[in-house]
Amino acid sequence: LNTNPTFMNHDLKHVLDDQLFGYWGQNYLLYLSENCDFENSSQFGRLIISFLEVDLVLLSSNFANQSFDSKFEFLLNLTNYPGVPIEEESTSRDFVDFWSQLAETFVMDDDRISSILKNDTNLLSRLKTKSLEFFTKIAEIYWSKIHIPEIESDLDSYMDEFKIFRRDVSDLYEAIYPITKSSLLKDLVNNLSVSISSNSPRDLEASLFLISSLSDTLTENSVDEETLNYIKKVFDSNILDYVTTTTYNTTNNSAIRKFNMLSYTTIRFLSSVNFIYKLQIGLPYLQSVLDFLFNSMIGSTSYQLIASKTIAKICDESRSNLISFLPNFKNIITAMIDDITVDTLIRQRIINSY
């Protein structure tokens, strides 16, 4: 299938389709899941991907066909194969690029999809409804999959691969966003608020990571009012106080990496929404943002590079809104000059920002 996808005729495709998504395929997936057979589940997933990616336009049009609902449900179950991504299961990693391609096809080839459905208004309506439901479920699966593992010491052995996986999930969310629109961001912000109130830092980090990924694509000219209000809700959730308290209250080794990742992701978020500091809606948060960033630099060498870059970015692009912060800024610079743990390059970057 990978080397010559045209070698199968229509009848052979139909037979293989029945096998993969019918009784045999359902039972085989159940067997693989019950036996935690990670190797064969990955091979099974790659076979299905090779079979389906031959015609993504046709597959996209099948959201309008009720008889295909069970097939899409099967694909959701396969994507959500149990286990820790990378370390145990690789099925979700194999599928992440496939779902990105399908989402992009759904958006870019909408005219061809409409033509296949003969512009039938009822079918097009179902297509929109079912695709929204499906890609929302895909997003939920990958939100869970990118969580920092419970046994965090194991992450050291596959950290680079895990970072690549999370980056690919970011790309998937960007591909899905034109289909789900603001509901995707709304769900992430709601998850973030619940995570803070329930003291669930791993959930919080996953939500904030993906919010940052979506925000990276926005500017002050392209962002709409609804999206701005969702970002405002993130700041209004007292996230900076929560992250600071969580980080400094952590003393046992098993929690250190988790909360370090949370701090890093928070700084990344503050950088990704740089456009909001230029707007009136973002001005009330500037002081707390700068305080958090400076404290991150002084409190740990781990964040000096990303925090200093974020500070420089804010100062460069929102300079006119920072005049009232100059006295405090000067005091902080003095403290940083006296702090021997601050790298010379980092210190110079902050001084230039002033």
Side-chain angles (χ1 to χ4, degrees):
L1 285 172
N2 283 327
T3 57
N4 185 14
T6 62
F7 87 94
M8 286 196 304
N9 59 35
H10 180 270
D11 291 338
L12 187 56
K13 285 182 180 179
H14 183 73
V15 171
L16 185 55
D17 188 281
D18 283 345
Q19 289 293 314
L20 292 176
F21 301 103
Y23 179 81
W24 179 84
Q26 296 282 352
N27 280 275
Y28 186 53
L29 178 57
L30 180 62
Y31 167 81
L32 293 173
S33 300
E34 290 178 343
N35 290 274
C36 297
D37 191 338
F38 300 118
E39 181 178 353
N40 284 317
S41 67
S42 180
Q43 292 179 1
F44 185 49
R46 287 196 291 269
L47 171 62
I48 288 179
I49 290 170
S50 297
F51 180 73
L52 292 176
E53 65 184 0
V54 173
D55 194 343
L56 293 178
V57 174
L58 181 61
L59 179 62
S60 298
S61 70
N62 285 331
F63 282 116
N65 191 336
Q66 187 173 357
S67 64
F68 279 80
D69 286 355
S70 60
K71 178 183 291 187
F72 285 115
E73 189 66 29
F74 174 84
L75 291 170
L76 285 173
N77 292 333
L78 182 55
T79 302
N80 199 26
Y81 190 84
V84 178
I86 313 301
E87 184 187 32
E88 295 177 341
E89 63 88 12
S90 59
T91 306
S92 60
R93 179 182 60 179
D94 294 336
F95 265 98
V96 66
D97 185 57
F98 174 76
W99 293 130
S100 292
Q101 291 182 56
L102 183 65
E104 290 168 359
T105 299
F106 188 85
V107 174
M108 301 299 295
D109 292 306
D110 57 327
D111 289 342
R112 293 175 61 192
I113 295 171
S114 297
S115 178
I116 291 174
L117 300 177
K118 300 179 180 179
N119 292 306
D120 185 296
T121 54
N122 291 329
L123 291 178
L124 291 175
S125 177
R126 190 177 197 279
L127 177 80
K128 182 177 181 180
T129 300
K130 298 303 292 187
S131 61
L132 174 59
E133 291 177 0
F134 180 82
F135 283 110
T136 297
K137 291 178 180 177
I138 286 291
E140 291 171 353
I141 289 172
Y142 281 100
W143 174 81
S144 296
K145 289 289 185 180
I146 65 164
H147 276 54
I148 305 302
E150 289 283 0
I151 305 175
E152 296 178 23
S153 59
D154 292 343
L155 193 59
D156 292 334
S157 62
Y158 61 97
M159 173 62 85
D160 290 341
E161 289 180 278
F162 191 66
K163 285 182 177 179
I164 293 172
F165 173 65
R166 281 163 61 101
R167 183 198 64 197
D168 292 342
V169 173
S170 295
D171 294 340
L172 171 62
Y173 264 67
E174 290 178 27
I176 288 175
Y177 194 76
I179 301 171
T180 62
K181 300 295 194 301
S182 59
S183 66
L184 185 62
L185 186 58
K186 178 183 178 181
D187 289 344
L188 289 171
V189 173
N190 287 340
N191 284 340
L192 180 144
S193 298
V194 172
S195 300
I196 293 175
S197 61
S198 63
N199 192 25
S200 304
R202 291 173 64 251
D203 290 352
L204 170 60
E205 195 278 334
S207 297
L208 195 60
F209 175 83
L210 293 169
I211 292 171
S212 301
S213 300
L214 294 176
S215 299
D216 268 332
T217 64
L218 302 174
T219 67
E220 70 272 22
N221 296 320
S222 66
V223 66
D224 56 39
E225 184 175 356
E226 185 179 19
T227 301
L228 279 174
N229 285 328
Y230 285 133
I231 295 173
K232 182 178 184 297
K233 286 183 178 180
V234 175
F235 284 106
D236 290 341
S237 68
N238 294 320
I239 183 172
L240 299 184
D241 288 340
Y242 175 83
V243 173
T244 300
T245 303
T246 301
T247 302
Y248 283 105
N249 283 348
T250 301
T251 56
N252 62 84
N253 290 332
S254 64
I256 287 176
R257 179 181 292 280
K258 180 194 307 179
F259 298 132
N260 279 350
M261 185 69 79
L262 176 56
S263 295
Y264 186 91
T265 300
T266 303
I267 297 171
R268 178 173 175 263
F269 163 74
L270 297 177
S271 177
S272 72
V273 296
N274 184 57
F275 56 85
I276 201 173
Y277 313 127
K278 308 176 191 178
L279 305 173
Q280 192 67 35
I281 194 173
L283 294 184
Y285 309 112
L286 260 175
Q287 182 66 66
S288 60
V289 167
L290 289 172
D291 287 345
F292 180 87
L293 291 170
F294 279 117
N295 288 335
S296 298
M297 291 180 60
I298 296 172
S300 172
T301 58
S302 301
Y303 316 123
Q304 286 184 2
L305 180 61
I306 185 174
S308 64
K309 283 183 176 180
T310 303
I311 292 170
K313 188 176 181 181
I314 293 174
C315 292
D316 183 52
E317 299 185 18
S318 306
R319 188 169 297 275
S320 61
N321 293 330
L322 295 170
I323 296 175
S324 62
F325 300 104
L326 287 178
N328 190 42
F329 212 111
K330 185 177 180 180
N331 293 333
I332 292 172
I333 289 177
T334 301
M336 289 190 63
I337 291 175
D338 295 335
D339 189 344
I340 61 174
T341 66
V342 178
D343 183 82
T344 303
L345 178 63
I346 303 299
R347 187 184 293 115
Q348 188 62 48
R349 177 180 289 150
I350 299 303
I351 293 173
N352 291 341
S353 298
Y354 178 72

